[in-house]
Amino acid sequence: MRGMGMAKAAQNKVAAPTKGAPPRRSPKKQPYVLEDQIGFVLRQVWQRHAAIFAREIGINLTPTQWAALAKLTETGPCSQNQLGRLTAMDVATIKGVIDRLTARGLTETSSDPQDGRRLLVSLTRAGQAMAEKAAPSALAISKETLAPLDAKERDIFVTLLNKLR
């Protein structure tokens, strides 16, 4: 018993530095520098992109409204829930987006012929025309957002961003 206590004391004892050896230092804590954090940098890049979008889209659309119009152009009619998933918007956000687009006459809802309980969202003629009009501007916005990068850097950057999804 007594030997156990001495062994335990020996385990808990911190070894003294040997003569001539530098004193042990606790590892330095890395300072949190906001400008070095990925979330901060991504937010700044998003703000730059959003400013380019607002300046160049050419029509009164938000990025989320454009995403909904573009995806409906691509997929055709779909449920609001599915559209939200396809555009990475939560239920409340996609509902607000569709409500605003519908109020502007750009989208409409109709019963799903395969499931009468579900509503399908689709583009109106005006919505289709707006999406066709905005598409070249949207492509130019993406190009301008990535303009500081050369072609190889753009490919790598987009590949890496997709990997982080």
Side-chain angles (χ1 to χ4, degrees):
M1 188 93 162
R2 191 167 171 223
M4 293 277 289
M6 289 174 61
K8 193 165 192 126
Q11 286 176 345
N12 291 334
K13 188 174 183 181
V14 177
T18 57
K19 258 189 176 176
R24 290 187 184 171
R25 295 183 187 151
S26 60
K28 284 188 176 181
K29 289 186 178 182
Q30 293 290 332
Y32 187 93
V33 178
L34 181 63
E35 292 79 8
D36 295 340
Q37 306 311 309
I38 187 63
F40 183 77
V41 174
L42 287 172
R43 190 172 80 243
Q44 288 182 313
V45 171
W46 167 250
Q47 288 169 338
R48 180 176 165 271
H49 172 74
I52 294 167
F53 183 93
R55 184 183 73 235
E56 298 296 329
I57 194 63
I59 50 180
N60 185 22
L61 284 177
T62 66
T64 53
Q65 290 169 345
W66 168 247
L69 290 179
K71 189 50 75 173
L72 286 170
T73 299
E74 183 183 325
T75 65
C78 67
S79 73
Q80 188 170 287
N81 193 342
Q82 177 69 9
L83 184 59
R85 285 193 302 275
L86 293 172
T87 56
M89 291 184 230
D90 61 46
V91 173
T93 302
I94 192 64
K95 181 182 180 341
V97 167
I98 295 303
D99 287 349
R100 286 185 287 283
L101 290 173
T102 299
R104 292 177 60 186
L106 301 174
T107 58
E108 61 189 2
T109 57
S110 59
S111 292
D112 184 337
Q114 296 175 342
D115 183 350
R117 298 168 295 174
R118 182 176 22 205
L119 291 177
L120 296 179
V121 179
S122 59
L123 294 174
T124 62
R125 281 195 177 111
Q128 184 65 44
M130 184 172 277
E132 289 171 10
K133 178 181 176 186
S137 296
L139 289 169
I141 290 163
S142 292
K143 186 175 180 180
E144 185 176 341
T145 297
L146 296 171
L149 306 175
D150 65 35
K152 185 176 180 180
E153 289 171 328
R154 283 192 297 271
D155 290 343
I156 292 168
F157 180 67
V158 171
T159 298
L160 291 173
L161 284 176
N162 281 319
K163 195 172 184 178
L164 290 176
R165 282 187 192 186

